[in-house]
Amino acid sequence: TVFYTITFRNVGDESADDVVITNPIAESLIYVDGSAFGPGTDIEFSVDGGKSFGKAKDLTVSENGVTRSAIGKDFTHVRWVMKENLAAGAQGTARFAAVLQ
């Protein structure tokens, strides 16, 4: 299991709004369902190489002409969207786990 921890900080003198952290998931890894964590964020996923994002429960993929709900192996990116501005000097953490295919 690989654990990703992304630490971010606002080094500016003013609060930052619309902060979004996006992390690709390596092709050799499978996202561990339910492992994404980020206080004060909405967590979204992509199944199309980062072109679009949505809540895990809302994403679907087509496999052999059949549409099904997306699962960990389908996710290509994880994205954390801050719910509020990030104050000057403030920092945060975003995490997720993945396993080798």
Side-chain angles (χ1 to χ4, degrees):
T1 302
V2 178
F3 297 95
Y4 284 82
T5 301
I6 301 99
T7 302
F8 54 93
R9 189 176 118 185
N10 180 354
V11 296
D13 295 331
E14 298 179 18
S15 67
D17 57 354
D18 301 322
V19 175
V20 176
I21 309 293
T22 303
N23 200 99
I25 301 169
E27 288 184 23
S28 60
L29 297 173
I30 297 172
Y31 169 78
V32 174
D33 287 324
S35 68
F37 171 79
T41 66
D42 285 325
I43 300 171
E44 301 176 338
F45 299 88
S46 177
V47 294
D48 61 7
K51 295 176 187 165
S52 62
F53 287 83
K55 299 286 185 188
K57 65 179 180 64
D58 298 330
L59 295 176
T60 60
V61 293
S62 290
E63 193 171 68
N64 300 320
V66 176
T67 300
R68 63 169 175 77
S69 295
I71 57 175
K73 71 176 185 145
D74 302 314
F75 299 139
T76 61
H77 292 72
V78 184
R79 179 165 83 174
W80 296 264
V81 180
M82 295 289 299
K83 293 179 185 178
E84 299 192 15
N85 292 347
L86 186 62
Q91 65 180 28
T93 301
R95 295 183 184 130
F96 74 96
V99 294
L100 290 171
Q101 293 196 53

